[in-house]
Amino acid sequence: MRSVGTVLALVVLATVVATFARRWRIPAPSLLVVAGLTVALLPGSPRIQISPGIIGLVVLPPLLYASAEELSWRELRVVWKPVGILAVGLVLASAAAVGAVASLVSPLSWQMALVLGAVLASTDPVAVTALGRRLALPPRVQVLVQAESLFNDATSLVLFRVAVSVAVASAAADWRSAGGEFVLLAGGGTVIGAALAGVVTMIRRRTEDPVLETVIALVTPYAAYVLAEAAHTSGVTSVVVAGVVLGGRGDRLTTARIRLQLHAVYGTVVFLLESVVFSLIGLALPAQVRALSDGDRAWPLYALAVAGTLIAVRLLWLAPLSAVVQREGGIQRMNWRVPLVLTWAGTRGVVPLAAALSIPVTTAHGASLSQRPLVLVLTTSVVVVTLVVQGFTLAPVVRRSGIALEPDHTEREEAAARCRLAGAGIRRLDELTELQAAPDIVLDRLRRGLTARLDDARDRLADSDDDGAPAESADLAYRQLRRDLIAIEAAELRRLYDEHAISDTTRRRLQRSLDLEEARLADV
């Protein structure tokens, strides 16, 4: 993509398609892949060659960081055992199964089949987060799917390095050193990501400049990735850990105005990058297919066999694991709906494609790695199949499974939380009234506002208009006291979340509502 015009046209195409996907409530990644594939098949369309460096260094860090920030630390602590089993055991099983099937049904040697298995073994955090963003999954199910895709990078990366060394250098697989490399990648990436998050936390607590805060937030994922890769550890793990740590502290590091600005800026960046990268997947496949030899023309059958293997192995792992988890939770009858949804949500995406693109072109002896084009085509086609087939059908599967949260459930939880927040504010007003710490006209106005919020949360009626405007001095006192009450409500919100009374989704929604009100008070 050397032409600037091609890049701009790609950005425009991706933005338009993603915008219509949101309006039509269609999964944007799936529609973007289809649109990219359609454009690539048109006569005269430019050939698209994706650089692994661009994806790995430019695109992945902010998308991974945004996905990790959305992860609930509270729920992650509950599901860390099954996440660990899936991030290690399922990745190994998937790589072995794909390698065996690919070596049997395709012309790939067992060495290159192992490379293909290592590339496709892990689910993709960018695709999983983008597809699951609009699904009303229970918090623990959502966190399990998302955390698995975020933390399985170290396992798949070690497998990939071992497989490439076997295929390229004709070396024997050294599994003992692979174990040490896994510890280095995962442990080193975790340490670097946590250390960087600590440094960023100290800086952001001492910064109130919105521009500087925005720059720090944009630079953080790139710094985590580059530092970890320079130390020969996992850059993906480093970014994920930094995102999880900072995401859980976001409401305590900055002001409401800065949080709103960061939300808008990062939302724009993520929207553009996701739109471009998913359309690139569809655009790249036809050019990759044209590079195949005549003996590889049955690649669609190979791709379907590999995709079916990934789904089957995932279901075979998740069904017994889900049964054990449910039995430990006191549920005697097995619920098949959870493993089915977890299986169908395990899509592949950007990370496997970046790994496949990084496969060397030649062997250690200088000979051409002739089967690399087929591995690249199979990787991209499996990614396309999972994004299109599973992406378009994931929402219906979730709805028919019956595990999705009903809108009434979310509304009741949010209404109950709003009642608690308004109650905390009213109790604080009672204390101020007894102390006579503010003019009566200010206290009355604040009480009317909180009472209206309480009534609205109870019966979902529209807010009544505030009658009358106080004097200028009273208005200043009102704004100051209302900001103090917002701080009380924010503390009550954190307490409700820490006591597991509300979900992380409800906490984020109510925190944003408080931030918007606080920002409006500052603008008056």
Side-chain angles (χ1 to χ4, degrees):
M1 294 193 305
R2 296 180 180 178
S3 172
V4 177
T6 302
V7 176
L8 293 177
L10 178 60
V11 171
V12 172
L13 169 68
T15 304
V16 171
V17 173
T19 301
F20 279 103
R22 288 192 175 188
R23 176 172 297 181
W24 297 336
R25 302 189 66 84
I26 298 175
S30 305
L31 189 60
L32 286 165
V33 169
V34 172
L37 188 59
T38 303
V39 171
L41 294 175
L42 295 176
S45 60
R47 293 188 60 181
I48 302 296
Q49 294 183 348
I50 308 175
S51 169
I54 292 178
I55 292 182
L57 183 60
V58 178
V59 177
L60 270 182
L63 294 182
L64 290 171
Y65 184 79
S67 300
E69 274 197 320
E70 296 179 10
L71 200 62
S72 170
W73 175 250
R74 185 191 71 186
E75 301 296 341
L76 180 59
R77 287 184 295 180
V78 177
V79 300
W80 70 269
K81 287 184 179 179
V83 166
I85 293 173
L86 295 177
V88 178
L90 181 55
V91 170
L92 295 174
S94 299
V98 169
V101 170
S103 63
L104 289 175
V105 303
S106 73
L108 291 176
S109 63
W110 71 268
Q111 294 94 336
M112 292 303 292
L114 181 61
V115 172
L116 178 65
V119 166
L120 292 172
S122 61
T123 55
D124 184 73
V126 178
V128 167
T129 302
L131 288 173
R133 196 170 284 141
R134 294 181 177 272
L135 299 178
L137 291 173
R140 291 187 183 180
V141 176
Q142 177 70 30
V143 170
L144 180 60
V145 175
Q146 199 170 344
E148 175 208 353
S149 65
L150 286 168
F151 289 102
N152 57 16
D153 169 72
T155 307
S156 60
L157 185 56
V158 169
L159 276 178
F160 176 72
R161 291 183 179 181
V162 172
V164 168
S165 66
V166 172
V168 174
S170 301
D174 189 355
W175 298 110
R176 182 174 299 179
S177 63
E181 189 175 3
F182 172 80
V183 174
L184 175 63
L185 286 170
T190 301
V191 171
I192 293 176
L196 180 66
V199 174
V200 172
T201 298
M202 290 188 296
I203 295 175
R204 291 179 63 179
R205 280 178 175 171
R206 293 163 172 79
T207 303
E208 295 185 358
D209 184 353
V211 176
L212 184 58
E213 281 272 10
T214 304
V215 172
I216 292 173
L218 292 175
V219 170
T220 297
Y222 292 108
Y225 188 88
V226 171
L227 289 174
E229 290 294 322
H232 303 289
T233 62
S234 173
V236 172
T237 303
S238 176
V239 173
V240 168
V241 171
V244 171
V245 173
L246 292 172
R249 303 177 181 178
D251 58 336
R252 308 179 188 184
L253 296 180
T254 57
T255 63
R257 181 188 295 276
I258 293 176
R259 284 195 296 270
L260 292 173
Q261 178 173 311
L262 290 178
H263 184 270
V265 172
Y266 233 98
T268 303
V269 171
V270 169
F271 176 80
L272 287 175
L273 290 180
E274 282 184 351
S275 301
V276 171
V277 75
F278 285 118
S279 59
L280 275 176
I281 293 174
L283 284 166
L285 182 58
Q288 295 171 356
V289 171
R290 287 192 288 267
L292 292 176
S293 62
D294 294 334
D296 297 332
R297 295 305 173 186
W299 64 268
L301 298 178
Y302 310 152
L304 291 176
V306 170
T309 301
L310 288 171
I311 294 174
V313 172
R314 185 171 178 81
L315 182 60
L316 291 175
W317 264 79
L318 285 169
L321 179 62
S322 180
V324 171
V325 172
Q326 292 180 42
R327 182 163 297 180
E328 289 180 353
I331 302 175
Q332 298 299 324
R333 187 176 179 180
M334 169 64 180
N335 184 354
W336 58 269
R337 299 177 181 87
V338 174
L340 179 61
V341 171
L342 291 175
T343 298
W344 211 243
T347 55
R348 271 64 183 174
V350 183
V351 175
L353 182 60
L357 289 169
S358 66
I359 298 174
V361 179
T362 60
T363 66
H365 305 290
S368 175
L369 202 61
S370 59
Q371 294 182 335
R372 181 181 183 272
L374 181 57
V375 171
L376 193 57
V377 167
L378 292 180
T379 300
T380 308
S381 55
V382 168
V383 169
V384 170
V385 168
T386 58
L387 285 176
V388 174
V389 177
Q390 294 174 236
F392 278 122
T393 57
L394 181 58
V397 168
V398 171
R399 285 196 299 268
R400 293 187 179 184
S401 69
I403 70 171
L405 297 177
E406 296 293 334
D408 291 344
H409 176 275
T410 304
E411 291 178 3
R412 286 194 303 270
E413 181 181 85
E414 184 175 341
R418 288 185 183 276
C419 286
R420 302 285 290 274
L421 299 187
I426 290 175
R427 289 193 298 272
R428 177 57 178 167
L429 273 182
D430 292 338
E431 295 175 1
L432 294 175
T433 301
E434 293 178 1
L435 296 174
Q436 297 182 349
D440 291 340
I441 188 174
V442 174
L443 295 176
D444 289 342
R445 184 183 176 191
L446 288 168
R447 190 179 300 277
R448 286 197 305 271
L450 288 174
T451 302
R453 292 169 184 272
L454 191 59
D455 293 338
D456 179 67
R458 285 173 175 169
D459 55 17
R460 290 298 181 182
L461 295 176
D463 288 334
S464 59
D465 293 333
D466 193 12
D467 49 343
E472 183 177 354
S473 59
D475 189 58
L476 292 174
Y478 168 82
R479 294 201 302 271
Q480 180 59 48
L481 284 177
R482 182 58 196 138
R483 283 194 289 266
D484 293 342
L485 292 179
I486 289 175
I488 297 294
E489 293 181 51
E492 177 69 11
L493 181 62
R494 288 193 294 268
R495 189 186 67 80
L496 291 174
Y497 178 73
D498 292 339
E499 293 179 357
H500 295 245
I502 59 175
S503 65
D504 186 64
T505 302
T506 299
R507 179 188 69 85
R508 291 176 184 271
R509 186 181 295 116
L510 293 181
Q511 182 63 59
R512 178 168 173 78
S513 178
L514 293 175
D515 289 346
L516 286 170
E517 184 179 1
E518 186 175 349
R520 285 196 297 268
L521 289 171
D523 290 336
V524 176

